[in-house]
Amino acid sequence: PDADLKDVLSEYVPPETFEDATLTCATLEGFCQSGICGKELCDSIPQVVNEPCGCTAPGGNPTTTAPGGGSTGGASGPTEPPTISLAPTISPAPTYKANWNPCGICGVGPTPNPLRDDVPIEIPDNLAPPQVKDGSAMCDELEEYCQGGYCPRLTCNNLYPIREICGCPNFNTPCSICGAGKELTNAGGTVTLEAALAISGFPPTITCSDLQDACSRGYCDGSRCQAFSGLVQDACGCQEAAPGLTIESSADTTLYRDGPLVDDNFGTEDTMLAQNGPVGNEEVASSFALVQFPIAENKAVIDSLKNEPTSLLCLHHVQNTEADRVVTYSVCAVTPPDLQGGIESLTGADVTYAMPADCATGDVSNFDVSPNTEQICVDVTGMVDKNQEFVTFMIDNMNESDQPGDRFYTRFDSERRFPELRMYPVFEL
């Protein structure tokens, strides 16, 4: 796009999209389908993109643009295509936006070769880009959507398994930077990679969490994995992994009990909120958080822990240095309604819970949060039924307050401060 169009679209897409001052046809189509392009722009665009984008009229005939805008199936277009230079109005409001950083099926950066256009990929609703309406997309289509910024981070993190079938070259087996049987304890530590170990698309100085993220998604070949296991031990705080299991959340959201946000959905936000404001107080509307973990897919490991394992719900707190108080929050397991979109599709109008009446096991655990609290782990032993597909926890303040509540990071946090369910064996003496 030219500068004027870039200025308008840059409000809606990540800056990286414009790094080469070009857009894929699928990305530009997404902008205009979402309502970002005004009428004048929509009338002008076909005169520029019909040929490079392979536009066709219904029935498969090539589309050309008639003088003065508009498309026909056979009329010839103007002799000189106009330049798109007007700044479009943003009306109507977009129905979806390119909210995410670009990513690719084959790894960081643009795909070196065209991906297969004859392999359909099944995509769950909670991972699907907005252009996917029927639950599947061809490899090349999904690549264009993700490169255009329409794939949530969780989708980008789960593209590795389809690399081979989509035709990616040189895909790698995921690995741990600390080495087998070890785990990093200093996620914020940094390492500087020499040129021979640098990973395409990543800076040479990188945090341990980002490096682990890259290698766990197959961006590191075998020689790099081996080298990292010796290089990062001290910087990343590598330690022998404790026996047990750590499960990252598969869904999390905020539900409002009252106020103007009760009908809104917050299933893709990077934080969730718990606060118990007075009824009718719209500035501190009452809300609670839900966080869910997959149990059935981890049952074999859970069974190997024997007896009833110790279970900890661990949350990363969004620090608030402007506050000056300690708040006690409560957590218990609840039973959510069986909906196709899961808990992330819920709104406060769909369901609400109250502790302890709606706690599945009757057990409630409390924990304190101060402004500077970074991470909390609360004992939820006895709340996890290993015969269920999921366990869903509610986080709430049982005491009404006119003060703002606290936020906790969700599975959409860009720095991977995800909620975790940690389970450890109980050793018999």
Side-chain angles (χ1 to χ4, degrees), residues 249-289:
S249 64
S250 57
D252 27 46
T253 191
T254 300
L255 300 183
Y256 284 83
R257 293 188 177 91
D258 59 20
L261 302 178
V262 70
D263 292 314
D264 291 351
N265 178 282
F266 297 92
T268 57
E269 299 294 316
D270 59 2
T271 63
M272 51 188 174
L273 173 66
Q275 67 182 14
N276 191 1
V279 175
N281 187 334
E282 294 187 357
E283 293 186 2
V284 191
S286 180
S287 68
F288 60 92

Side-chain angles (χ1 to χ4, degrees), residues 78 149-150 264 302 310 376 385:
Y150 289 102
D264 291 351
I302 295 174
T310 297
I376 312 100
D385 183 349

Side-chain angles (χ1 to χ4, degrees), residues 160 163-164 170-176 214-226:
Y160 176 83
R163 286 185 179 183
E164 183 175 9
N170 302 320
F171 59 92
N172 303 299
T173 301
C175 68
S176 168
C215 291
S216 67
R217 288 192 278 144
Y219 297 155
C220 310
D221 57 27
S223 62
R224 284 183 172 84
C225 291
Q226 185 175 2

Side-chain angles (χ1 to χ4, degrees), residues 17 21 40 52 120 148 164 199 203-204 234 236 275 307 311 342 354 371 381 396 401 405 407:
T17 303
E40 292 179 276
E164 183 175 9
I199 305 172
D234 293 334
C236 297
Q275 67 182 14
N307 301 320
S311 300
T381 302
D396 196 12
S401 171
R407 289 189 172 273

Side-chain angles (χ1 to χ4, degrees), residues 62-399:
T63 301
T64 57
T65 306
S71 298
T72 70
S76 60
T79 56
E80 294 185 8
T83 302
I84 303 175
S85 58
L86 56 132
T89 55
I90 310 303
S91 178
T95 55
Y96 58 84
K97 302 176 184 176
N99 287 324
W100 311 95
N101 290 326
C103 66
I105 294 175
C106 298
V108 178
T111 303
N113 299 306
L115 297 185
R116 295 183 61 176
D117 61 3
D118 59 346
V119 177
I121 302 298
E122 299 296 324
I123 309 172
D125 289 343
N126 64 322
L127 296 181
Q131 296 92 333
V132 176
K133 303 299 184 184
D134 59 358
S136 70
M138 297 298 178
C139 292
D140 61 335
E141 294 174 333
L142 182 59
E143 173 70 9
E144 290 211 31
Y145 302 149
C146 291
Q147 290 288 358
Y150 289 102
C151 295
R153 179 179 175 83
L154 188 65
T155 304
C156 293
N157 289 349
N158 285 276
L159 293 176
Y160 176 83
I162 66 173
R163 286 185 179 183
E164 183 175 9
I165 194 172
C166 283
C168 294
N170 302 320
F171 59 92
N172 303 299
T173 301
C175 68
S176 168
I177 60 173
C178 285
K182 291 187 175 183
E183 61 183 1
L184 66 87
T185 61
N186 183 18
T190 60
V191 292
T192 299
L193 306 178
E194 59 185 56
L197 295 177
I199 305 172
S200 175
F202 288 84
T205 298
I206 186 172
T207 65
C208 295
S209 61
D210 285 345
L211 184 58
Q212 177 58 54
D213 185 34
C215 291
S216 67
R217 288 192 278 144
Y219 297 155
C220 310
D221 57 27
S223 62
R224 284 183 172 84
C225 291
Q226 185 175 2
F228 292 157
S229 66
L231 175 66
V232 306
Q233 294 293 315
D234 293 334
C236 297
C238 296
Q239 296 181 1
E240 293 295 329
L245 174 66
T246 297
I247 307 173
E248 294 180 347
S249 64
S250 57
D252 27 46
T253 191
T254 300
L255 300 183
Y256 284 83
R257 293 188 177 91
D258 59 20
L261 302 178
V262 70
D263 292 314
D264 291 351
N265 178 282
F266 297 92
T268 57
E269 299 294 316
D270 59 2
T271 63
M272 51 188 174
L273 173 66
Q275 67 182 14
N276 191 1
V279 175
N281 187 334
E282 294 187 357
E283 293 186 2
V284 191
S286 180
S287 68
F288 60 92
L290 293 179
V291 56
Q292 189 173 79
F293 300 90
I295 298 301
E297 66 184 53
N298 293 287
K299 189 175 186 303
V301 179
I302 295 174
D303 287 343
S304 72
L305 300 179
K306 299 180 180 180
N307 301 320
E308 181 179 34
T310 297
S311 300
L312 301 178
L313 170 63
C314 295
L315 304 169
H316 290 272
H317 173 237
V318 180
Q319 294 176 299
N320 181 9
T321 55
E322 296 181 0
D324 185 21
R325 78 286 189 274
V326 176
V327 180
T328 299
Y329 291 93
S330 302
V331 60
C332 77
V334 295
T335 304
D338 186 13
L339 297 176
Q340 182 177 2
I343 66 169
E344 290 180 335
S345 68
L346 293 173
T347 72
D350 297 320
V351 66
T352 190
Y353 299 102
M355 292 185 184
D358 294 316
C359 296
T361 65
D363 298 318
V364 177
S365 293
N366 300 319
F367 60 96
D368 292 336
V369 175
S370 64
N372 293 319
T373 299
E374 292 188 21
Q375 188 179 35
I376 312 100
C377 288
V378 56
D379 191 347
V380 293
T381 302
M383 301 183 194
V384 180
D385 183 349
K386 64 182 181 180
N387 295 313
Q388 296 292 321
E389 185 176 4
F390 298 95
V391 61
T392 305
F393 295 107
M394 172 188 183
I395 303 160
D396 196 12
N397 183 352
M398 296 176 67
N399 300 307

